[in-house]
Amino acid sequence: MRFPLNFVIGSIMIIFVLTAAVVSLFWTPHSHSELNISMKFAEPSMLYWLGTDQLGRDVVSQLMVAAQNSVQVALLAVFFGGAIGTFLGLTASAIGGVVEDIIMRLADLGFAFPALLFAIMLAASLGPSLNNAIIAIAFINIPIFARVSRGSANQIWQREYVAASKASGLTKFKISIDHILPNIMAPIIVQATIEFAVAILAEAALSYLGLGAQPPQPSWGRMLSEAQTLMYLAPELAIYPGICIIIAVIGFGLLGDGLRDITDPRLQGDR
Amino acid sequence: MRRLVNFLVTLFAVSIIVFAAMNVLPGDPALTILGLDATEDALEALRQRLGLNEPLTKRYFLWIGNALTGNFGISHSFSVPVSDLIIERLPLTVSLAISGMTCTVILAFVLGVFAAANHKRYGDWGVMVISQLGIALPAFWLSILLVLLFAVKLRWLPPGGFPGWENPTDAIRSLILPTLALSLVQSAVLARVTRSSMLEVMRQDYIRTARASGFQRSRILWRHTLPNALIPIVTIIGMQFAALVTGTIVIENVFYLPGLGKLIFQSISNRDLPTVQALVMLFAAIVIIANFIVDITYSVIDPRLKDRA
């Protein structure tokens, strides 16, 4: 089987990001938080591959730990948002009627409410923190997955084998778990990959605005907001974290597109 | 009619969410405002003054009733009515949103039409790559890059801040980079939609007829194809307006512009809940109204959709 180009390129970019994140768990070139003022703004060298920042901290080590942070946030947010959303979508599709109407209306409501505003509200009432950022990002995922899973599930409910299970007396709950869920996994996984990209972007933006990762936890977004105050001294510090964000976001985007092309060839090139 | 009811219900539901998030989640707002080492007397006095001892439902209806008449309460940190704060900062945010939207539409039309005209050639390919990049580019990083290039390196434009409207040239100069940052990302999305919608129309027979009758290429593109490709484009423009309005919150913070977006963040760090609550509600209402207008426009442009909910 030949894999589509977007799948291959996306995978390579993601493997790069994931490797950095996983390796940072047990090894970084230097400590990401260790201050070394005498070495501040060091040029890139064999010792400091991308140089150091205003406090003499190694940039590569910070970027690696930040990758781990980004992946963690995206994983948690998409997992919880996706699980709740899929559950709601499956429920709506299985029960139908008023319940379906209510769930889908609530989903519309979720769409009407911008994620940034939700994060701002949480930060104002509970204080800014990475956990609240995760909750906000998970929240925006719920209606998205509810729609995708309900739409796909409604199609599966029309199939003959589902009618057969119904006739043999299986409950709607059992049919949903045994027959519907496995058959809608493909579109859900595709959606999850794309939402992963969105989540990484959202985490970076929230951390940049001070609503996500708090010091001293490294995050690409927070590194950018620190670098912004030093632009006349060390402009390159404002470049590296952005490139990391782009690699992760484009990588997951391409991977999602590629997965969709593989799982649903009819949609190929259809944008 | 059904759309109107939907719209009002959404607005009502969102107002409840906002109220609940700001009044139920934090526990005791008085404690949030005064901090942990406040005395019980001071807390009780503040609760009295803010009306926090009233039942929640009463407080909600009081808040929403006042909000409808333009009274959002008193800001804790500035000690002036929240509505005054909003009116003072509104012009900047509105000008930013309008200039951003205008710039987005112009850029997107030029790029989208260009790509469609050069379908399956280098021009098309180039526009698609740029727009893919634009979609992945975080707006705040794009802003930083623009500042690096135009303010730090070339020194053509100020890196941020706003001198006030007294000096119009300086005011406009300081809005150029924020406008670009807002519109580049948005136009990347819109250019794609414009392109694919144009391609769709270009396949129609009447375009082929126009071409065969010897009309000029540019005339066919701008006069015959684009107007007919507008339906999906207008929908996306409406949705983008909503994104753009929340985008101003980010951009104002990147460029240190004293608009509503900056005010939200000041109020968060000052623990000024009435102001945050009013602003979040205001932004949410703008987004919901924009979506509602899109909904209506859609059925006006395409009457077949009128009866579908």
Side-chain angles (χ1 to χ4, degrees):
Chain A
M1 172 180 179
R2 250 183 71 99
F3 291 109
L5 188 64
N6 45 14
F7 180 82
V8 176
I9 298 177
S11 303
I12 293 172
M13 293 166 91
I14 293 315
I15 288 170
F16 177 69
V17 174
L18 289 182
T19 311
V22 171
V23 170
S24 79
L25 286 173
F26 46 88
W27 180 83
T28 50
H30 299 266
S31 156
H32 72 268
S33 54
E34 193 186 306
L35 309 185
N36 187 354
I37 302 290
S38 63
M39 286 304 291
K40 70 175 178 182
F41 297 126
E43 298 277 315
S45 63
M46 288 303 281
L47 190 59
Y48 300 105
W49 300 340
L50 291 177
T52 59
D53 69 0
Q54 74 278 16
L55 299 172
R57 292 171 297 188
D58 178 42
V59 171
V60 172
S61 308
Q62 289 191 65
L63 289 175
M64 285 171 71
V65 179
Q68 172 201 329
N69 177 56
S70 275
V71 171
Q72 241 172 35
V73 170
L75 207 62
L76 287 170
V78 174
F79 176 78
F80 284 112
I84 299 172
T86 307
F87 172 76
L88 288 174
L90 277 176
T91 312
S93 172
I95 300 177
V98 185
V99 177
E100 184 172 17
D101 271 355
I102 293 176
I103 291 179
M104 293 335 279
R105 285 276 122 223
L106 284 178
D108 289 345
L109 195 65
F111 276 107
F113 211 95
L116 180 61
L117 287 183
F118 194 75
I120 286 175
M121 250 168 31
L122 282 185
S125 56
L126 299 176
S129 76
L130 196 57
N131 284 342
N132 290 337
I134 296 174
I135 295 175
I137 301 170
F139 174 80
I140 47 165
N141 275 297
I142 295 175
I144 297 172
F145 281 90
R147 267 195 194 171
V148 170
S149 59
R150 171 193 168 251
S152 317
N154 278 351
Q155 286 173 13
I156 308 290
W157 277 99
Q158 313 293 329
R159 301 271 170 85
E160 281 175 4
Y161 60 84
V162 174
S165 340
K166 248 195 262 179
S168 65
L170 283 183
T171 60
K172 281 183 172 171
F173 179 74
K174 187 103 175 91
I175 298 176
S176 290
I177 300 292
D178 286 357
H179 297 296
I180 312 289
L181 188 58
N183 281 299
I184 62 169
M185 267 334 261
I188 288 178
I189 290 172
V190 170
Q191 194 66 41
T193 317
I194 293 168
E195 293 310 322
F196 225 87
V198 178
I200 285 180
L201 206 54
E203 188 274 332
L206 291 178
S207 293
Y208 170 82
L209 291 168
L211 303 181
Q214 301 296 314
Q217 188 165 31
S219 144
W220 293 330
R222 231 174 46 71
M223 289 175 76
L224 280 176
S225 78
E226 279 179 15
Q228 200 188 351
T229 56
L230 306 164
M231 268 191 300
Y232 287 91
L233 283 171
E236 68 281 357
L237 290 181
I239 306 280
Y240 307 132
I243 292 176
C244 293
I245 298 173
I246 296 271
I247 292 176
V249 171
I250 295 188
F252 278 109
L254 286 174
L255 191 68
D257 284 352
L259 280 175
R260 192 189 44 206
D261 291 348
I262 293 172
T263 53
D264 196 348
R266 278 170 306 160
L267 290 175
Q268 202 145 15
D270 191 36
R271 273 294 230 158
Chain B
M1 190 60 208
R2 174 144 183 217
R3 283 167 210 277
L4 187 66
V5 172
N6 251 342
F7 161 70
L8 292 175
V9 169
T10 312
L11 212 50
F12 178 64
V14 165
S15 75
I16 292 181
I17 297 175
V18 173
F19 182 81
M22 305 306 279
N23 290 277
V24 183
L25 281 184
D28 187 352
L31 196 65
T32 322
I33 295 160
L34 292 180
L36 285 174
D37 32 59
T39 63
E40 188 49 44
D41 290 346
L43 286 174
E44 187 52 37
L46 186 63
R47 278 190 212 118
Q48 276 296 345
R49 192 162 65 81
L50 299 176
L52 293 177
N53 293 333
E54 307 282 344
L56 268 180
T57 42
K58 190 176 169 196
R59 276 164 54 202
Y60 168 76
F61 283 109
L62 205 64
W63 171 64
I64 201 76
N66 282 333
L68 286 176
T69 58
N71 175 5
F72 291 104
I74 308 286
S75 154
H76 291 163
S77 51
F78 294 92
S79 302
V80 292
V82 175
S83 47
D84 287 3
L85 288 176
I86 291 178
I87 290 169
E88 196 184 305
R89 286 161 175 77
L90 195 62
L92 182 58
T93 305
V94 170
S95 5
L96 194 56
I98 292 176
S99 62
M101 200 69 239
T102 318
C103 199
T104 301
V105 172
I106 295 174
L107 258 174
F109 277 10
V110 171
L111 286 179
V113 171
F114 175 75
N118 291 289
H119 187 42
K120 291 190 176 162
R121 273 181 273 174
Y122 286 120
D124 183 21
W125 191 78
V127 170
M128 292 303 278
V129 168
I130 293 174
S131 72
Q132 182 71 53
L133 260 178
I135 290 168
L137 214 60
F140 63 92
W141 191 50
L142 178 70
S143 316
I144 293 178
L145 292 183
L146 287 173
V147 172
L148 270 180
L149 179 62
F150 291 105
V152 176
K153 195 119 184 116
L154 299 172
R155 294 176 192 269
W156 288 352
L157 294 163
F162 187 71
W165 294 108
E166 294 79 41
N167 189 339
T169 341
D170 282 353
I172 291 172
R173 268 166 55 89
S174 63
L175 285 183
I176 294 178
L177 287 184
T179 302
L180 269 180
L182 257 183
S183 52
L184 285 179
V185 172
Q186 298 288 339
S187 61
V189 182
L190 193 60
R192 276 175 167 249
V193 179
T194 309
R195 168 186 174 273
S196 57
S197 182
M198 289 278 294
L199 288 177
E200 194 71 33
V201 176
M202 280 160 81
R203 282 191 211 121
Q204 307 287 326
D205 287 341
Y206 61 87
I207 298 294
R208 207 173 35 198
T209 312
R211 216 179 264 171
S213 335
F215 279 117
Q216 246 177 11
R217 240 172 83 85
S218 60
R219 193 189 151 86
I220 296 175
L221 278 174
W222 292 98
R223 295 288 294 278
H224 297 264
T225 314
L226 187 61
N228 288 300
L230 273 182
I231 296 175
I233 299 174
V234 167
T235 326
I236 302 290
I237 289 180
M239 291 178 183
Q240 284 201 307
F241 182 74
L244 203 106
V245 168
T246 46
T248 58
I249 300 180
V250 178
I251 296 297
E252 282 177 13
N253 281 283
V254 180
F255 289 99
Y256 307 105
L257 298 175
L260 294 179
K262 190 84 194 140
L263 183 61
I264 289 194
F265 278 84
Q266 281 172 341
S267 315
I268 292 178
S269 31
N270 293 336
R271 296 241 154 250
D272 188 350
L273 290 185
T275 311
V276 179
Q277 187 172 331
L279 288 171
V280 169
M281 191 58 223
L282 185 69
F283 275 102
I286 293 174
V287 170
I288 295 167
I289 293 170
N291 287 337
F292 176 60
I293 294 174
V294 171
D295 239 20
I296 295 178
T297 326
Y298 211 34
S299 60
V300 170
I301 300 179
D302 193 346
R304 282 168 298 177
L305 294 166
K306 204 164 254 171
D307 299 323
R308 293 226 309 255

